[in-house]
Amino acid sequence: MTERKVENYPVSEVEVLAEELRRAISTFVRVIRDKTDTEKSAQSETLGILERNGAMNVAALALRRGVAHQTMRVVVAQMVADGLIDRSPDPEDKRSQLLSLSNIGRDMVVRDRISRASRIGTMIEATLSVEEREHLRKSIDLFDRISAAEID
């Protein structure tokens, strides 16, 4: 494996590829979020976690988001007040409550996802040839394989 130096640190070709991929994906995500007005926020992160993982308590949400329990409690209180999430008793811990997406919260997640996918579709159509679209389609499998290798 060939090594190169980046800012005086030796790096392998795979590390260079990894950094180029990280940069490209980060830029892509920022552009899409900016152009669709679906910026990442504490609320959008929380909605996404609940949508992907189902109901959980404040402690589990705080752990998933990497924030303090008290910080998560403040975010949750506002989201409940806004009607984005529902609370219900936790059958396994009577002192705790389970948080889940409300219909309003679920609609917001779906609406934002559709908005981003629509924008991406428009960009693909305007930018890529049919052959390039096929390359992109094939690369999705590669991303899925890389991700699957790290899912617990």
Side-chain angles (χ1 to χ4, degrees):
M1 188 177 304
T2 308
E3 288 207 357
R4 295 175 24 189
K5 287 192 174 191
V6 174
E7 297 182 24
N8 294 324
Y9 295 100
V11 293
S12 69
E13 291 298 321
V14 170
E15 290 168 321
V16 170
L17 175 60
E19 173 53 22
E20 290 170 353
L21 180 61
R22 185 213 56 79
R23 180 203 46 76
I25 291 172
S26 294
T27 300
F28 181 78
V29 168
R30 278 193 306 275
V31 166
I32 297 305
R33 287 195 178 276
D34 182 55
K35 296 298 181 185
T36 58
D37 198 27
T38 57
E39 292 298 320
K40 190 172 182 179
S41 67
Q43 285 191 354
S44 69
E45 274 188 59
T46 302
L47 290 173
I49 290 168
L50 291 172
E51 193 263 340
R52 285 186 301 278
N53 300 289
M56 60 183 67
N57 62 28
V58 171
L61 271 173
L63 185 63
R64 292 271 177 149
R65 286 203 52 237
V67 299
H69 188 274
Q70 184 58 35
T71 300
M72 195 72 246
R73 286 174 46 95
V74 171
V75 171
V76 163
Q78 184 61 54
M79 292 178 75
V80 168
D82 291 343
L84 299 172
I85 58 176
D86 294 325
R87 294 179 195 228
S88 61
D90 185 340
E92 294 180 19
D93 183 354
K94 300 299 180 199
R95 300 167 297 159
S96 184
Q97 293 184 325
L98 289 178
L99 306 164
S100 60
L101 288 179
S102 69
N103 288 336
I104 295 169
R106 190 172 320 286
D107 288 348
M108 181 181 283
V109 169
V110 169
R111 187 177 55 248
D112 286 354
R113 185 174 290 144
I114 290 169
S115 176
R116 290 189 299 268
S118 176
R119 182 63 183 201
I120 293 167
T122 300
M123 292 166 61
I124 289 170
E125 196 169 57
T127 308
L128 301 181
S129 69
V130 173
E131 182 178 303
E132 289 170 325
R133 290 178 201 174
E134 190 54 36
H135 287 300
L136 181 60
R137 185 175 286 106
K138 289 177 182 177
S139 71
I140 291 168
D141 179 57
L142 299 177
F143 285 113
D144 286 344
R145 285 177 38 207
I146 293 167
S147 298
E150 292 297 319
I151 295 175
D152 298 328

